[in-house]
Amino acid sequence: MASEKEHDENRRPNQNTYLIDSENAGELARLMLQDRILTAGMGGLFPEFPQGAPLPAGGRVLDLACGPGGWALEVAFAYPKVEVIGVDISQAVIEYARAQAWSRGLENAHFQVMDVMQPLDFPDASFDLINGRLLFGFMLPGAWPRLLAECRRLLKPGGVIRLTETELTLTTSPALERYQALLCDALKKAGQSFSADGRHVGLTPVLPRLVRQAGFANVRLRASAVEWSIGTEAHYPVFKDWLMGLELMRPFVLKMESLDKSDLERLEQQAVAEMQQEGFCGLYSLLTVWGYKPQ
């Protein structure tokens, strides 16, 4: 099997490494749902700053791989004197985000097509805060130091880097657990995992160290969890996220794993059934890591 370094070096510039077709209309809908799940599950836009986000009037925020722009649009609404810029590799989601900003009259929200694994087209010291959520779906291990170095370049002195990642969910569904094991193994084989053995995504344990190594100071962590057991408010949204995600991730899993399509589809159907059974329990854990560019 090729090493992660070889996988990383063999990727062409601007090659989309997202494990789902980012131009798929179904993925646009799923990302809109996922964005709401994340913000609610984390406890708001900036729950780690109980005294208020470090966003001065006239400040600027950059949202990496912003998707349909849900978080960026909410920040622009909550902080009308702050400029919010979202970037994403997908033309379709950027067009959608622009349309949403226009329809809501958010003149301080802007969106551009950019690949965050490449140098970003902004001047040095442009932003007060840079945000990124669930970048594991496309980031290569070797690309993280480059992205963090780019974020350090783009932040003003004292500016904040803020990243939220996950290790997938913990559930009582044998089929979903089996599917997640296949997905983690597929990410490992694709060279898109920090896991030592392919049993996890593997990013959350190393993320704080990566941020410190990039030169950020006062690095801190905040954990949050979404319970999506049967009968909870979050059950249907997270279930719907999985329902759409199983179909959208199927090509990637089939490509990386030695499975018949019919076998994988049966596993997916069993997972869907088990997620709706009485007594189903699920927990979706998130880790936010943030740090400051030295003055």
Side-chain angles (χ1 to χ4, degrees), residues 147-165:
L147 173 60
L148 290 168
E150 185 71 349
C151 290
R152 193 166 187 264
R153 178 185 73 82
L154 294 175
L155 282 169
K156 300 173 185 177
V160 177
I161 179 72
R162 176 183 188 264
L163 302 164
T164 301
E165 295 294 337

Side-chain angles (χ1 to χ4, degrees), residues 11 26 66 127:
R11 301 298 176 112
C66 65
F127 297 97

Side-chain angles (χ1 to χ4, degrees), residues 268-289:
E268 294 168 358
Q269 291 164 5
Q270 184 64 29
V272 169
E274 290 172 359
M275 283 187 277
Q276 299 177 87
Q277 288 177 353
E278 188 66 30
F280 169 82
C281 296
L283 196 67
Y284 187 6
S285 299
L286 300 160
L287 180 70
T288 299
V289 179

Side-chain angles (χ1 to χ4, degrees), residues 204-219:
T204 56
V206 302
L207 188 57
R209 182 169 181 263
L210 288 170
V211 174
R212 287 193 299 268
Q213 286 180 328
F216 292 96
N218 198 18
V219 175

Side-chain angles (χ1 to χ4, degrees), residues 39 83 257 280-281:
T39 300
E83 181 183 15
E257 299 292 311
F280 169 82
C281 296

Side-chain angles (χ1 to χ4, degrees), residues 65-162:
C66 65
W71 182 87
L73 292 165
E74 290 303 315
V75 173
F77 178 79
Y79 297 85
K81 295 183 179 180
V82 169
E83 181 183 15
V84 184
I85 300 176
V87 297
D88 197 279
I89 198 172
S90 169
Q91 182 71 42
V93 300
I94 288 297
E95 289 176 357
Y96 176 87
R98 287 172 177 168
Q100 288 296 301
W102 178 84
S103 68
R104 295 173 61 175
L106 296 173
E107 297 182 359
N108 60 327
H110 309 282
F111 298 92
Q112 300 181 38
V113 177
M114 289 188 195
D115 181 356
V116 304
M117 288 204 295
Q118 303 298 323
L120 299 174
D121 190 18
F122 299 109
D124 295 358
S126 295
F127 297 97
D128 297 276
L129 185 144
I130 297 178
N131 178 72
R133 305 200 302 190
L134 302 193
L135 306 187
F136 79 90
F138 65 87
M139 282 291 290
L140 308 178
W144 275 102
R146 295 194 296 270
L147 173 60
L148 290 168
E150 185 71 349
C151 290
R152 193 166 187 264
R153 178 185 73 82
L154 294 175
L155 282 169
K156 300 173 185 177
V160 177
I161 179 72
R162 176 183 188 264

